[in-house]
Amino acid sequence: MPVPTEEVTEVSYRCPNCEALINVADEFVGQTVDCPRCSVPFEAKAPVAQPILKTDITNSEADYTIETPTDDETVLETAHPALFRKHPLQLLTMIAVGGAALVAIVTSIADGSWSFAMGAGVVLLLIAGYAGYMWVQILATSLTVTNKRTRLRHGIIAKKTSEVQHDDVRNLQVDQNILERFLGIGDLAISSSGQDDLEIIAVAIPQPNSMAELIRRMQ
């Protein structure tokens, strides 16, 4: 004779922030849960009337189902500094000089002027090395916003990390000059209630106002 299994009851809710349809296991009813779509927490209040059970959904299944506790941390956004956009004149100069050096190398080799070709090659290598250095700096720096905190990390091998919990954010600043607003970058600075100095200063972050708005929504 087969042993009967206990059926798990799920209650359906609409996320108050993004309006996604979410199935919440009955063991989490009455607790605060994080929306799997937008990660904004909301209280799964116990229904005072007849709840919408999973078996009552006839048209379509729910968009998301919550099966884990709310302690899970979810990454919402990650950004790397746009250093090349931060220094557009420097970038244009590097491209112009590098292009001129490349043309000089080709023409010098064709004319048999090897010494001039070697000099232009050194210039091209220096420009390529500096561009590579900037690219490594971009990859080694990341600003990450989760549903619980904002974290700034520097380094690839040796890492330095600064983070501020969303609940502790006291000051949130976005600094942009006219050119940076046109290029869609800016500096984002955050301090917590327990510190006088800015704990996170992220330079040349793409769309900093959108990142700041995301942090405000998580508070």
Side-chain angles (χ1 to χ4, degrees):
M1 180 178 181
V3 178
T5 58
E6 183 179 355
E7 183 178 355
V8 177
T9 304
E10 295 175 339
V11 183
S12 295
Y13 294 87
R14 284 285 182 188
C15 173
N17 182 63
C18 68
E19 298 186 352
L21 182 60
I22 304 166
N23 285 335
V24 180
D26 57 355
E27 60 182 302
F28 299 120
V29 173
Q31 302 181 23
T32 299
V33 297
D34 292 339
C35 173
R37 179 183 181 184
C38 65
S39 298
V40 173
F42 68 93
E43 184 180 357
K45 296 182 179 180
V48 295
Q50 181 67 31
I52 302 176
L53 301 179
K54 185 176 181 180
T55 55
D56 295 333
I57 303 176
T58 57
N59 294 331
S60 62
E61 293 293 328
D63 300 325
Y64 301 92
T65 298
I66 293 178
E67 298 177 344
T68 58
T70 61
D71 291 337
D72 292 344
E73 188 169 13
T74 305
V75 174
L76 304 179
E77 193 74 36
T78 299
H80 297 275
L83 296 182
F84 291 109
R85 276 192 277 172
K86 177 73 173 177
H87 307 286
L89 295 179
Q90 185 181 77
L91 176 61
L92 292 175
T93 301
M94 290 170 55
I95 294 175
V97 175
L102 183 60
V103 171
I105 292 174
V106 174
T107 55
S108 297
I109 292 176
D111 295 339
S113 180
W114 295 100
S115 59
F116 190 77
M118 292 179 59
V122 171
V123 173
L124 187 60
L125 286 176
L126 290 176
I127 293 175
Y130 184 71
Y133 169 78
M134 291 185 66
W135 184 250
V136 170
Q137 292 299 311
I138 292 173
L139 296 179
T141 305
S142 62
L143 180 69
T144 303
V145 179
T146 73
N147 57 327
K148 298 181 182 297
R149 74 196 78 202
T150 301
R151 179 174 61 244
L152 179 63
R153 178 169 292 174
H154 299 279
I156 294 179
I157 299 176
K159 295 183 179 293
K160 178 181 179 182
T161 303
S162 302
E163 62 181 42
V164 175
Q165 298 282 341
H166 293 319
D167 293 339
D168 296 332
V169 173
R170 182 189 66 178
N171 189 15
L172 184 61
Q173 299 178 5
V174 175
D175 295 327
Q176 289 179 297
N177 56 36
I178 296 177
L179 180 59
E180 289 173 341
R181 290 183 62 184
F182 176 76
L183 296 175
I185 62 173
D187 300 341
L188 181 64
I190 306 173
S191 66
S192 68
S193 55
Q195 299 290 332
D196 295 330
D197 298 331
L198 294 169
E199 296 174 72
I200 290 179
I201 302 177
V203 178
I205 294 298
Q207 305 302 327
N209 289 300
S210 298
M211 188 74 77
E213 181 61 28
L214 176 61
I215 297 172
R216 292 189 185 98
R217 281 188 287 139
M218 292 296 105
Q219 289 183 268

